[in-house]
Amino acid sequence: MAGSRKTWRRDEIVAAAAHCFMQQGYHATRIDDVAAHLGCTKGRIYHYWPTKTDLFFDVHRAGMARLFAAVDPLPDGPNGAAQLAGLLHAHARAMLDHHTYETVVAQGVQVHRFDRLSDVQQQVMSDLIASRDRFETLFLQALMRGMADGSLACENPSITVKVLLGGLQWSIIWYRPQQGETEQDRADLAAQMVHPLLHGVKKHD
Amino acid sequence: MAGSRKTWRRDEIVAAAAHCFMQQGYHATRIDDVAAHLGCTKGRIYHYWPTKTDLFFDVHRAGMARLFAAVDPLPDGPNGAAQLAGLLHAHARAMLDHHTYETVVAQGVQVHRFDRLSDVQQQVMSDLIASRDRFETLFLQALMRGMADGSLACENPSITVKVLLGGLQWSIIWYRPQQGETEQDRADLAAQMVHPLLHGVKKHD
DNA sequence: GTCTATATACTGATAGAC
DNA sequence: GTCTATCAGTATATAGAC
C-alpha cells in the first residue's frame, strides 16, 4: 500500500538522494551525503537498498513517473496542434516543478554504461530506457497527427521532437527554483519556453 | 607557438581526456583511463597538469574555443533573422562536429561546484562561466536586432535564447557520430534541427 | 530499523629511477 | 619526459551491537 510506513521511509530517502544527485551528480554524491541530508547514517539507507546504483535507479524511476503523471491526464484535443500544445505546456511545467528529479533523469542511465551491473539491474535499466522512449513517442504521435490533419508542419518529425523536448529539458541547466516563486511565475515561464517551440511547428499559410 | 612539440603533446592528452569525459563523465573517468587511452601511464599526464581538475578545465576551454570558432567568422547579414539563422546553423554543425568536446562543456563547471578549488582554479572557472555567457549573448543580440528590424518576434528574448540553444545542445544526449557519416549527412541533420527553432521566432504576418 | 565500527577496494597524486 | 612503485585519503558496503 502506498501510504505504508516503509513506503514513506523509502520516499523520504529517494527525495534526499534526488537532492544530492541533482546538486553534485551521481558519482560525486556519497551515500554519507544522502544520510547527512536526512540527519541519519548510511545504515538506514543500506537497510532499504543493496547498492547506490539501485537507489539511483529508483530516483530515476520517480522522475519518469512525474513526467508521465504530468501528461497522462491530458485530453487528446481537437487536433494535433492543440494536443501538442497541451503536451509541451504540461511538460514544461513538470520540468520546472520537479526540477530536482528531472535533473537526475537527465543524468540518465548513461552514468552506468560502464558499470558492471547485475542481471536485475540490467533489466531495470532497460525498463528505464524503454519508458524514456515511450515518453518521447507521445510527442511524436501528436506531431504526426498534426501533420496529418494540417495543423502542424515539419521536415523530420523524429528529429523535430528531439529538438522540441531538448528546448524544454535544457532548463535543468539554467533554471533554478527561486525563493518566493509563485505558481503563476512558473506558469508564465513555462509558457514563454513553449511559445517559440510550438510556433516553430505550427502551420502558417 | 601553436605547433610546438609540447603543445602537440598537450592537445593529444586533451583529446584523450575529452573522449573519456564524454563517455564516462568527469568523476567516473580515472586518470589511468585517459593514460590507457593514450597507450601510456599517468606519469605523462601529471607532467603537464597538476590535477585532474585542471585537465578538465582545459578540455572545457577547448570545447568553448570550438564553439566560438564556428560562429565568429560569420557575417552580420542583412537583418536579425538572417544573422540568427547563420548563428543557429553554425552552432548546430559545431555541436555535431565537436560532439565529444561539447559533451564535456555541457558537464560544465557544475561538476566542480562543491570541490575545494585553488584561487587560480576559481579564476579559470569564472572565465569559463563568462565565456558561456558571452556565447549566449551573441544569439541574444541577433534576436533583439531581428525584433527591432521586424524580421523576428518573441515574448521573452532571454528565455527564448535559452530554449533555442537548448534545442540544439540537447543533441549531446541523443546524437552519436555514425560510422560512414558524410559532411552532407551532418549538414542535413543540422538543418533539420535548426528549422523548427528558427521558424518559431520568424515573424509571420 | 538504525547505529557504530570496520573491512576492502579504489584512485588521485607524488617520489624517484631511467 | 615518461615510467614504476607507492602513499594517503576516501567511499562502498558489511557485520554486529542495540
Side-chain angles (χ1 to χ4, degrees):
Chain A
M1 39 204 76
S4 75
R5 179 176 176 78
K6 181 165 180 178
T7 302
W8 185 79
R9 263 286 191 251
R10 289 180 69 96
D11 289 349
E12 185 187 48
I13 296 170
V14 166
H19 178 85
C20 294
F21 291 153
M22 180 269 290
Q23 271 202 149
Q24 320 199 36
Y26 173 79
H27 283 105
T29 298
R30 295 157 301 181
I31 292 285
D32 282 322
D33 292 334
V34 180
H37 195 256
L38 285 165
C40 68
T41 69
K42 60 184 150 201
R44 187 190 290 178
I45 296 169
Y46 280 109
H47 177 68
Y48 292 93
W49 284 271
T51 71
K52 184 180 161 185
T53 301
D54 291 292
L55 175 57
F56 177 87
F57 281 154
D58 268 2
V59 177
H60 192 302
R61 212 200 311 264
M64 284 307 305
R66 280 162 172 74
L67 292 186
F68 278 105
V71 299
D72 272 342
L74 295 177
D76 279 358
N79 60 21
Q83 185 180 359
L84 187 64
L87 285 169
L88 290 175
H89 274 102
H91 185 48
R93 277 301 304 267
M95 288 302 301
L96 303 180
D97 289 345
H98 311 302
H99 174 257
T100 303
Y101 285 86
E102 304 320 329
T103 301
V104 178
V105 169
Q107 296 174 46
V109 292
Q110 163 115 6
V111 197
H112 297 100
R113 219 176 0 157
F114 293 87
D115 293 4
R116 265 173 261 314
L117 300 180
S118 70
D119 288 352
V120 178
Q121 288 174 331
Q122 206 97 43
Q123 182 58 50
V124 170
M125 195 159 122
S126 301
D127 290 347
L128 288 173
I129 292 170
S131 85
R132 289 158 76 103
D133 290 345
R134 224 168 34 245
F135 187 76
E136 193 173 308
T137 302
L138 295 175
F139 292 77
L140 183 58
Q141 284 170 340
L143 177 55
M144 308 264 285
R145 177 184 172 205
M147 291 170 70
D149 68 27
S151 61
L152 298 174
C154 86
E155 292 181 10
N156 184 326
S158 98
I159 297 297
T160 298
V161 162
K162 288 178 192 304
V163 170
L164 297 181
L165 288 177
L168 299 182
Q169 282 158 198
W170 195 253
S171 61
I172 60 163
I173 301 292
W174 54 264
Y175 171 74
R176 294 290 178 276
Q178 297 300 315
Q179 193 72 322
E181 194 177 40
T182 65
E183 285 283 307
Q184 191 59 48
D185 290 337
R186 271 214 276 266
D188 290 347
L189 178 52
Q192 286 163 356
M193 289 163 60
V194 169
H195 185 266
L197 297 174
L198 191 61
H199 198 236
V201 288
K202 272 208 181 125
K203 192 153 188 177
H204 300 91
D205 312 285
Chain B
M1 40 202 78
S4 74
R5 180 178 176 73
K6 180 165 178 179
T7 303
W8 185 81
R9 263 286 190 248
R10 289 181 67 97
D11 289 348
E12 186 186 46
I13 296 170
V14 166
H19 177 85
C20 295
F21 291 155
M22 181 270 289
Q23 272 203 145
Q24 321 199 35
Y26 172 79
H27 282 106
T29 298
R30 296 157 300 180
I31 291 286
D32 283 322
D33 292 334
V34 180
H37 195 256
L38 285 165
C40 68
T41 67
K42 60 184 153 198
R44 187 191 288 177
I45 295 169
Y46 279 109
H47 177 69
Y48 292 94
W49 285 271
T51 71
K52 185 179 161 186
T53 302
D54 291 291
L55 175 57
F56 177 88
F57 282 154
D58 269 1
V59 177
H60 191 302
R61 214 200 309 266
M64 283 306 305
R66 280 163 172 74
L67 292 186
F68 278 105
V71 299
D72 273 343
L74 295 177
D76 279 358
N79 60 20
Q83 186 180 355
L84 186 64
L87 285 169
L88 290 176
H89 274 102
H91 185 47
R93 278 301 304 265
M95 288 302 300
L96 303 180
D97 290 344
H98 310 302
H99 174 258
T100 303
Y101 285 86
E102 304 320 330
T103 301
V104 179
V105 169
Q107 296 176 46
V109 292
Q110 163 116 3
V111 198
H112 296 100
R113 218 175 2 154
F114 292 87
D115 293 4
R116 264 172 263 312
L117 299 178
S118 70
D119 288 354
V120 178
Q121 287 174 330
Q122 206 98 45
Q123 182 58 49
V124 171
M125 196 159 122
S126 301
D127 290 347
L128 288 174
I129 292 170
S131 86
R132 289 159 75 103
D133 290 345
R134 224 168 34 245
F135 187 75
E136 192 173 309
T137 302
L138 294 175
F139 291 76
L140 183 59
Q141 285 170 340
L143 177 57
M144 307 266 285
R145 179 186 169 204
M147 290 171 70
D149 68 26
S151 61
L152 298 174
C154 85
E155 292 181 10
N156 185 326
S158 98
I159 296 298
T160 298
V161 162
K162 289 179 192 301
V163 171
L164 297 180
L165 287 177
L168 300 182
Q169 281 158 197
W170 194 254
S171 61
I172 60 164
I173 300 293
W174 54 264
Y175 172 73
R176 295 289 177 274
Q178 296 300 317
Q179 195 73 320
E181 194 176 41
T182 66
E183 285 283 306
Q184 191 58 46
D185 291 336
R186 272 213 275 265
D188 289 347
L189 178 52
Q192 286 163 355
M193 289 163 61
V194 169
H195 184 266
L197 296 174
L198 191 61
H199 198 236
V201 289
K202 270 205 182 127
K203 192 153 189 178
H204 301 91
D205 312 287

